[in-house]
Amino acid sequence: MKRATQGIETNQVGRSVPRLESWLKVTGRAEYVHNLRLPGMLYGKIYRSSVAHGRIKRIDTDAARAMPGVHSVVTGAEVKTVVPDPYYGPAFHDQPVLALDKVRYVGEPVAVVLASDPHVAEEAVHLISAEYEELPAVYDEVEAVTSKAIVHEALKPAGTFPDLKHLKGVKNTNVALDFRLRRGDAAKAMAKAERVFEHRFRTQQVMHTPLEPLVSVAESTEDTLTIHTASQSPSFVRIEIARLLGWAENRVRVRVPFLGGGFGAKLYIKLEALVAVLSLLAKRPVKISLSMEEQFFTITKHASTFRIKSGVSGGRLVARECAVWWNGGAYADIGPRVTQKSGFTAPGPYDVQDVSIDSYALYTNLPPAGALRGFGIPQLVWAYESHTDMIARELGVDPVAFRRRNLLREGRPQATGTVMRDAAIEKVLERTASLIEWEKPLERGSGPVRRGRGIALGFKACIANTTSLAAVSVNADGSCTVYVSTVDMGQGSDTAMAQIAAEVLALPTEAVTVVHSDTDVTPFDMATLGSRSLFHTGNAVKLAAEDARDQLAGLRKELGLPADCAVADVFRKKYGMRAGSVLGVGNFIPPYTPPDENGQTDNATPFWMVGACGVELEVDTETGHVRVLRLVNVADVGTPINPRIVETQLSGASIMQLGFTLFEKMQFDAEGQLRNASLAEYKIPGLLDVPAEIVNEAVVAEQRTGPFGAKGVGETATFAVSPAIANAVHDAVGVRLTSLPLSAEAVFEALQRK
Amino acid sequence: MAREISTHKIGGLSPFELAEPRSLGEAIALLDAREPAVRPMGGGTALMLMMKAGVLRPTRLVNLRRLGLDRLEVDASGALRAGAMVTLRALEVSPVVSKGWPIITRTLRRLSNVRVRNVATVGGHIAHGDPHMDLPPLLSALGATVTIAGPRGERNARVEDLYAGYLETTLARDELITQLVVPPMARRRAAYLKCTTRSADDWPALGMAVVLEGARASIVVSAATDKPTRLAAAEEILAGKTLTDALVAQAAKAAQEIQIDGDLHGSAAYKKHLIGVYLRRAVHEARDARH
Amino acid sequence: MRRTVQFTLNGERVEAQVAPHETLVEVLREAFGLYGARESCGQGLCGCCTVLVNGTAVSGCLYLGTLAEGARIETVEGGETLDAVQEAFIERAAFQCGFCTPGFVLMTRQLLAENADPSEDEIRHYLSGNLCRCAAYPEIIEAVKLAARKKASR
């Protein structure tokens, strides 16, 4: 079939191949670590802190240890016998395997009971008690900047990210990162602007709630460790565990089958260090399988406050000042990355050359925040697209027309100074406006139920710089095996990688096997996150397949065989029987220029993601209920490898974001206790929440540096849903909400205040 | 109605005795008036949830499935009689119920989910006492009664008299609901509106049941306080009069005077406002209902 | 404490030693190595633990294992070939991570057994107790409709 771009014919890429693992998933036979049982395995149940901030005075485990059936009880003290410096984290080595000296949030792991019967372990946890000297706590991100309640005595950057080095040993602060970007002179341009607009926006803490809760299993020998884990980053896990133990990397093996959902929750170190240590202490395999409730105490998404100020002259944005405070919770996890990497797109997809951005990562005494689908972008777009709409309305200009006038176009520099390439911002906006019928008059109604329409547009820079390796083996019979450490968590990566390899090797996709992440077998991959895998791993797979293909071509030449000689025959000629294989290797790292002290760089990212959302909805003015009638998701995903999977990724991401927009929220009391840690009280979207009409479309576009013109899509439809809805609510009933979620009560209250 | 939610409400069940008596007398004998750790078990969903949350640690569960309490029929007076072990699903799909009490069929459609309704029983549901539940306010407004068996014999009680507070009923620990009796609808018209404020499928922030019979209104609200509450003041305003919009608005205002508890679904102030809105909407819906 | 419980599992007569507090999901996993029914929310709200007991769908995580005595238990692993529902789910790409899929398959079979041609509204309500965090909901609705058509034509 003809590729929509690139002017080539393809057989595998561009085809909506059904997922390779379909049979396994519909018959319930897909492998998840959730199901794993090993002989002699012990189950670990975690005893957690009941205070938000406190010095540990005593942990009483005697009664638990004495309970029949309990194998052992482990606290931070025992952990230190295996790992003397047991602090981990991708950005800061700030998180202890089990609490030492202090606890920093309600729910922090303090001890673990091991037993071969998980019910016994659970019972024994109730027999543990701890005493804390309570310390003042801080929960709000802006307050954390100046609060006397200091979460960490001193900052401990990991040394993995150069821009954090200057923070080493800094004391008396909750600011884990202060990212700044200066382009041009925003203050000066602002002072000269005709009109200045300033607004403040907030988002709430939410949780990914993958239906397979976080789970890891470790089994050890004297000097080797195998960790079976539901993780999106097996290579990182290996490196970090090896570092903690002081072992060579090749003595740590990390295996990942399918994930029952990830969404960013299953990244870096979650349970892996804990099970590794426990297994080394117990000399038996150890499994820790969290309950749905426990996930809320493990990893979440940053709440945020965003103050955005724009100068406008003649309908053009002439300056933007952004200040963003990210609520990172008690441990940094990948928060500093969110702060920086998302921080630099804070001004939005608009052509503004006088920009200042200050983006702060804050420690607070809440469960840690990390990566969640969108990686900070949805919070930013929530602010800048609500703000942009408000400006347009204030000026009496059509919101789409206003955006058009200010759009960041191909060839123009973004806030980092990087010139835009292959980001179909204009096309995405226009297509969305068209699909939502923006030009057509809308009957808003005059009764208690009013209709409204809204649009919003966001973009994201793919994280840089990161590397992926891949290996592709062509076997003696011509079949193909792909080895990658990219993890299929439902986004279809196995199928996509198979399609790419199959295209290069002129095989049907269904004839390709993809080996699941196993660090003993599959080569290094930075991680499966931030929609990076199709581009990075996909390019690596393409290179590896090309390498294999070239080796085969070389073999044919060497053996004097024609170019169309079947692979099986080539091997038979070479070895006299069916034997042998070729192994192609691909190593991909895109070019990147790190930013200077003003956040300026000519190459900030290997590719941009662009996503817009158009919404038509109803507001019940008597109760505040919002009902989305029509949801339109448009994206630039380059040229899709698998159009059907692309469509379902757009759809799924937008429905997930709908939950974050309308009702999801982690609710804490004044003592930092989470009140709704369960699916009974933390509601996620179900079938009855899905809008009657959802349209998903990828515009015709090309990522020239991507494999067959493709790039990532997993997060794109999360960007603009929230502000599109808020803009539509405003369109319907004239009230503007600046805080998520847009609950019925919040909408109702806003209507009362009008 | 503040609920203590601890961080340790996770996981495991501890061992207990599961008894399956074959007669009502045997079942009652297995219960214990003074012992909260001995519980009767219908479908078990509510019990299992409490056990897994660690708020109930039973020593004995008395399973009622072998007592033959699963008959569903209309009696000679036209009343619906549902044995305590009739599942909510059986009630929902029964043609007898949809013909005679379509409001019950409609209400069940949004009550929890199909799997829960497949297992949960009428008796267990009514005896649980969570103020968010959907059937208690409706059954109260319909004037339904239950038959209760205990060591001293049988007694009847109105459903609306069963609730003392949050998860607290007026049933003694050695008593069992054996049957639900719902009077015939006759010329009555009913509506039950369930207001959810988070996902569409959720416990209600407010449940409003209205049953109109001639000049009388029977109005019971749930999820606003620690038990289903009759809105007597509103009923009085509507009694014997034509249901004009102005009168209904007046009744709605009076209804808002009850003491309301806020929770994760909505603040007290918001629920107060919702009571007014939903009373009005439920009255209109009942007024226009065929049945 | 453990009691011998005998029942039919996917058409086969079996028995297991079950402790009073064990749930049906635990019995299926520990005693029979069947992992299609999974405990996720633990509260009967997500449907990942769906199991059929005497032809009725229940939340296996809230169902005591001892109550399986004498019952006919069916899980997603039963059946030699893919049925119309499973085929339809594949054709309509009605799953992503797959963790909730067995629950949806079993509930859909139940739905179509009770109602051969459900409307979209009926589908949404019947499956409202099955959650999918990947939100493959639109595809699931289409898969149910396709399965209904497939069954009607067989």
Side-chain angles (χ1 to χ4, degrees):
Chain A
M1 89 211 80
K2 190 103 171 31
R3 199 105 177 93
T5 61
Q6 306 192 309
I8 57 175
E9 285 273 344
T10 57
N11 294 306
Q12 301 308 316
V13 303
R15 190 158 74 90
S16 289
V17 177
R19 289 165 186 266
L20 298 181
E21 74 279 6
S22 295
W23 184 89
L24 291 171
K25 286 181 174 172
V26 300
T27 59
R29 288 176 174 83
E31 192 196 338
Y32 303 97
V33 179
H34 182 85
N35 303 336
L36 183 61
R37 267 193 314 155
L38 296 174
M41 190 170 80
L42 294 168
Y43 291 86
K45 291 290 177 184
I46 298 174
Y47 172 76
R48 298 174 180 274
S49 167
S50 53
V51 306
H53 198 194
R55 260 179 248 296
I56 303 175
K57 285 166 63 178
R58 223 189 64 237
I59 306 171
D60 202 328
T61 60
D62 290 345
R65 281 179 218 268
M67 188 173 155
V70 168
H71 173 277
S72 54
V73 180
V74 176
T75 64
E78 281 86 26
V79 170
K80 282 171 87 162
T81 65
V82 177
V83 182
D85 188 22
Y87 291 90
Y88 62 84
F92 287 80
H93 289 160
D94 61 349
Q95 193 158 9
V97 175
L98 283 175
L100 292 162
D101 313 318
K102 265 176 76 164
V103 290
R104 295 180 170 87
Y105 68 98
V106 174
E108 178 166 358
V110 171
V112 178
V113 175
L114 294 177
S116 32
D117 181 340
H119 293 297
V120 170
E122 182 61 44
E123 274 301 289
V125 166
H126 295 306
L127 299 178
I128 299 177
S129 65
E131 218 183 292
Y132 305 99
E133 177 206 324
E134 284 192 57
L135 299 168
V138 61
Y139 307 111
D140 178 87
E141 59 272 12
V142 176
E143 217 183 288
V145 177
T146 51
S147 175
K148 295 271 178 288
I150 300 294
V151 183
H152 288 269
E153 280 62 44
L155 299 184
K156 298 160 48 162
T160 37
F161 300 122
D163 52 331
L164 299 175
K165 279 214 188 81
H166 68 286
L167 296 168
K168 184 155 183 199
V170 170
K171 290 188 203 300
N172 247 335
T173 181
N174 289 319
V175 180
L177 174 65
D178 48 354
F179 168 78
R180 64 190 282 282
L181 184 152
R182 301 284 183 268
R183 182 172 175 76
D185 189 335
K188 191 155 150 213
M190 195 75 73
K192 293 203 318 221
E194 263 168 35
R195 302 272 310 259
V196 170
F197 300 87
E198 183 173 337
H199 301 113
R200 204 164 153 112
F201 298 90
R202 305 207 62 185
T203 67
Q204 79 288 37
Q205 191 171 16
V206 296
M207 208 264 150
H208 324 52
T209 70
L211 292 189
E212 178 202 29
L214 282 92
V215 55
S216 300
V217 179
E219 46 177 339
S220 58
T221 64
E222 185 60 33
D223 58 0
T224 65
L225 194 61
T226 299
I227 304 178
H228 311 265
T229 178
S231 171
Q232 299 166 230
S233 54
S235 301
F236 179 89
V237 171
R238 179 172 77 169
I239 289 174
E240 187 73 338
I241 298 296
R243 180 188 71 80
L244 284 168
L245 295 173
W247 289 9
E249 259 186 68
N250 64 357
R251 287 170 46 200
V252 178
R253 176 182 177 200
V254 181
R255 255 201 79 236
V256 183
F258 289 106
L259 299 190
F263 317 112
K266 298 174 174 171
L267 274 173
Y268 304 111
I269 298 294
K270 291 290 167 293
L271 298 168
E272 294 85 359
L274 183 53
V275 294
V277 168
L278 292 170
S279 155
L280 287 167
L281 283 169
K283 297 189 172 22
R284 283 170 67 171
V286 171
K287 180 178 192 180
I288 294 187
S289 189
L290 297 188
S291 65
M292 180 60 70
E293 287 91 334
E294 288 180 283
Q295 298 205 98
F296 290 89
F297 301 115
T298 310
I299 191 67
T300 64
K301 170 177 168 174
H302 292 75
S304 68
T305 298
F306 188 163
R307 195 184 65 213
I308 181 167
K309 188 167 163 186
S310 295
V312 180
S313 297
R316 290 274 290 124
L317 289 166
V318 298
R320 227 165 217 188
E321 287 174 3
C322 306
V324 195
W325 293 264
W326 304 90
N327 194 322
Y331 296 101
D333 199 82
I334 199 63
R337 259 305 142 268
V338 174
T339 303
Q340 187 230 34
K341 294 297 183 182
S342 293
F344 73 68
T345 61
Y350 299 108
D351 197 329
V352 193
Q353 300 307 320
D354 292 279
V355 173
S356 89
I357 303 173
D358 288 287
S359 184
Y360 308 99
L362 280 316
Y363 279 122
T364 60
N365 295 109
L366 291 173
L372 190 153
R373 199 175 196 175
F375 206 70
I377 298 300
Q379 293 96 314
L380 295 178
V381 184
W382 160 244
Y384 67 63
E385 280 300 270
S386 295
H387 175 72
T388 297
D389 221 63
M390 289 162 84
I391 294 173
R393 299 275 183 191
E394 228 347 80
L395 295 174
V397 177
D398 175 88
V400 171
F402 183 79
R403 286 176 171 84
R404 248 186 224 124
R405 276 213 73 189
N406 287 283
L407 228 46
L408 188 58
R409 293 185 160 77
E410 179 99 354
R412 290 288 295 157
Q414 192 262 343
T416 53
T418 299
V419 168
M420 299 302 292
R421 290 252 174 276
D422 291 349
I425 295 173
E426 191 171 355
K427 209 169 189 181
V428 167
L429 175 66
E430 295 307 331
R431 189 63 186 142
T432 308
S434 165
L435 285 170
I436 201 75
E437 296 181 294
W438 187 259
E439 304 299 323
K440 217 167 128 189
L442 179 70
E443 183 51 64
R444 286 177 177 75
S446 53
V449 175
R450 299 293 171 95
R451 273 202 186 193
R453 191 166 52 194
I455 208 168
L457 167 70
F459 76 146
K460 180 178 189 215
C462 180
I463 206 136
N465 59 340
T466 68
T467 191
S468 292
L469 280 84
V472 169
S473 147
V474 178
N475 310 310
D477 62 349
S479 68
C480 170
T481 309
V482 172
Y483 305 84
V484 288
S485 288
T486 291
V487 174
D488 199 322
M489 48 184 171
Q491 84 285 38
S493 56
D494 281 3
T495 306
M497 301 307 159
Q499 285 180 265
I500 291 170
E503 186 65 51
V504 171
L505 294 166
L507 290 169
T509 302
E510 295 81 352
V512 178
T513 298
V514 179
V515 169
H516 276 165
S517 301
D518 178 339
T519 58
D520 271 6
V521 178
T522 55
F524 180 90
D525 175 68
M526 182 263 180
T528 308
L529 54 74
S531 310
R532 64 174 291 281
S533 302
L534 185 56
F535 182 86
H536 293 75
T537 311
N539 266 327
V541 168
K542 185 160 183 275
L543 289 169
E546 286 165 353
D547 182 16
R549 184 191 59 193
D550 294 345
Q551 289 181 49
L552 286 167
L555 259 184
R556 285 189 188 93
K557 196 150 175 248
E558 173 200 311
L559 300 164
L561 294 167
D564 61 356
C565 182
V567 172
D569 295 332
V570 176
F571 282 116
R572 225 187 319 272
K573 181 96 194 275
K574 169 95 178 166
Y575 298 103
M577 57 189 231
R578 182 158 134 187
S581 66
V582 297
L583 189 69
V585 175
N587 189 335
F588 182 77
I589 181 166
Y592 168 69
T593 311
D596 64 18
E597 72 275 10
N598 286 317
Q600 300 298 295
T601 158
D602 64 357
N603 196 349
T605 180
F607 67 88
W608 301 93
M609 290 157 257
V610 184
C613 180
V615 161
E616 203 178 298
L617 51 74
E618 261 175 13
V619 179
D620 181 336
T621 58
E622 290 181 336
T623 64
H625 282 91
V626 171
R627 198 162 73 103
V628 175
L629 302 168
R630 193 147 190 269
L631 184 66
V632 168
N633 303 306
V634 180
D636 168 9
V637 306
T639 315
I641 298 293
N642 188 316
R644 183 65 173 143
I645 291 184
V646 163
E647 206 186 322
T648 60
Q649 285 300 293
L650 293 176
S651 175
S654 72
I655 295 170
M656 188 172 193
Q657 192 62 29
L658 209 59
F660 298 144
T661 306
L662 294 176
F663 43 79
E664 291 185 45
K665 181 179 178 159
M666 286 172 68
Q667 305 196 272
F668 294 88
D669 68 13
E671 278 81 51
Q673 287 250 14
L674 183 57
R675 298 173 63 208
N676 63 337
S678 81
L679 290 193
E681 296 299 342
Y682 179 93
K683 305 305 291 183
I684 66 176
L687 268 164
L688 294 176
D689 300 297
V690 177
E693 221 188 312
I694 305 185
V695 175
N696 307 291
E697 201 175 287
V699 297
V700 175
E702 185 185 358
Q703 180 61 42
R704 281 168 285 184
T705 51
F708 299 102
K711 62 187 171 187
V713 62
E715 298 167 293
T716 306
T718 66
F719 305 159
V721 173
S722 302
I725 290 178
N727 294 340
V729 168
H730 181 266
D731 186 54
V733 294
V735 297
R736 172 58 66 174
L737 284 103
T738 57
S739 216
L740 289 178
L742 307 177
S743 66
E745 183 167 350
V747 173
F748 176 72
E749 266 178 16
L751 282 165
Q752 294 307 101
R753 284 196 305 266
K754 196 174 145 196
Chain B
M1 193 176 51
R3 235 190 282 196
E4 204 54 70
I5 299 176
S6 79
T7 60
H8 299 290
K9 65 185 265 290
I10 34 182
L13 305 176
S14 44
F16 52 84
E17 181 201 331
L18 180 63
E20 291 195 46
R22 289 178 185 270
S23 77
L24 191 53
E26 208 189 315
I28 290 165
L30 284 164
L31 297 174
D32 187 334
R34 288 151 319 218
E35 184 49 76
V38 174
R39 295 286 179 117
M41 177 181 174
T45 48
L47 279 180
M48 290 291 281
L49 286 171
M50 291 196 293
M51 285 158 65
K52 289 170 94 171
V55 301
L56 174 68
R57 291 163 162 272
T59 50
R60 174 191 297 153
L61 292 180
V62 182
N63 191 299
L64 309 175
R65 64 182 183 166
R66 299 200 196 284
L67 302 184
L69 293 175
D70 51 4
R71 290 196 30 203
L72 180 59
E73 60 196 359
V74 176
D75 69 16
S77 73
L80 179 69
R81 287 183 180 265
M85 290 300 285
V86 169
T87 64
L88 297 184
R89 185 69 177 159
L91 207 61
E92 182 190 350
V93 303
S94 157
V96 153
V97 174
S98 71
K99 179 154 181 260
W101 296 263
I103 184 58
I104 291 180
T105 311
R106 284 200 298 276
T107 299
L108 283 164
R109 195 165 177 246
R110 279 189 69 201
L111 192 157
S112 190
N113 62 57
V114 170
R115 286 183 312 281
V116 167
R117 303 201 293 275
N118 279 340
V119 167
T121 60
V122 165
H125 183 84
I126 294 171
H128 185 53
D130 185 322
H132 293 90
M133 296 170 98
D134 295 308
L135 283 185
L138 177 61
L139 293 174
S140 299
L142 287 171
T145 59
V146 289
T147 308
I148 299 165
R152 289 161 292 282
E154 250 182 30
R155 64 184 180 95
N156 292 322
R158 297 188 307 171
V159 169
E160 86 179 84
D161 292 330
L162 290 176
Y163 305 108
Y166 180 71
L167 294 185
E168 246 187 271
T169 65
T170 56
L171 293 165
R173 292 230 172 271
D174 54 359
E175 286 186 308
L176 284 175
I177 292 177
T178 55
Q179 183 178 230
L180 167 72
V181 182
V182 187
M185 285 304 287
R187 302 188 61 83
R188 298 188 293 172
R189 287 161 298 154
Y192 174 73
L193 294 182
K194 174 176 179 170
C195 170
T196 56
T197 54
R198 300 178 304 195
S199 55
D201 175 45
D202 192 4
W203 290 103
L206 197 78
M208 182 70 69
V210 169
V211 178
L212 301 174
E213 178 169 28
R216 267 194 359 212
S218 182
I219 307 173
V220 181
V221 70
S222 65
T225 63
D226 62 354
K227 55 184 183 183
T229 304
R230 185 170 285 281
L231 297 177
E235 289 177 340
E236 234 180 88
I237 289 172
L238 297 179
K241 309 212 191 60
T242 316
L243 298 178
T244 61
D245 286 354
L247 192 70
V248 174
Q250 203 189 331
K253 203 151 186 293
Q256 292 174 309
E257 294 311 305
I258 63 169
Q259 176 62 36
I260 297 160
D261 297 331
D263 58 18
L264 289 172
H265 305 267
S267 67
Y270 181 56
K271 288 198 187 211
K272 178 169 158 141
H273 168 77
L274 289 177
I275 284 180
V277 173
Y278 280 89
L279 188 144
R280 175 173 38 87
R281 291 183 180 183
V283 167
H284 287 152
E285 189 168 307
R287 196 178 57 187
D288 301 335
R290 187 180 49 80
H291 220 343
Chain C
M1 268 297 190
R2 288 189 167 254
R3 178 150 114 186
T4 304
V5 177
Q6 296 180 319
F7 52 95
T8 307
L9 178 56
N10 292 330
E12 201 191 313
R13 300 197 38 196
V14 300
E15 73 176 44
Q17 298 301 310
V18 179
H21 59 277
E22 280 185 307
T23 65
L24 191 49
V25 168
E26 287 175 302
V27 173
L28 290 169
R29 294 161 76 83
E30 307 296 310
F32 299 100
L34 295 172
Y35 300 105
R38 301 136 185 182
E39 173 153 350
S40 176
C41 74
Q43 299 174 306
L45 298 169
C46 69
C48 292
C49 66
T50 305
V51 180
L52 298 188
V53 177
N54 296 328
T56 301
V58 307
S59 296
C61 77
L62 296 179
Y63 201 91
L64 288 175
T66 48
L67 294 176
E69 176 68 45
R72 187 178 92 240
I73 308 288
E74 292 162 270
T75 70
V76 74
E77 289 91 344
E80 305 265 302
T81 57
L82 299 182
D83 76 338
V85 173
Q86 288 165 316
E87 282 173 14
F89 269 64
I90 295 176
E91 283 173 51
R92 286 291 177 265
F95 52 86
Q96 295 185 19
C97 82
F99 205 73
C100 70
T101 309
F104 270 103
V105 167
L106 290 176
M107 290 301 292
T108 301
R109 284 180 185 162
Q110 286 278 274
L111 165 59
L112 296 179
E114 293 173 22
N115 181 349
D117 187 21
S119 65
E120 181 158 328
D121 192 56
E122 286 170 327
I123 294 171
R124 284 175 181 249
H125 274 88
Y126 198 92
L127 298 177
S128 63
N130 286 66
L131 297 175
C132 174
R133 195 44 160 165
C134 301
Y137 295 121
E139 295 77 54
I140 289 169
I141 294 173
E142 291 309 305
V144 176
K145 290 178 184 169
L146 176 61
R149 286 200 298 276
K150 278 177 183 279
K151 286 181 65 133
S153 69
R154 287 188 190 181

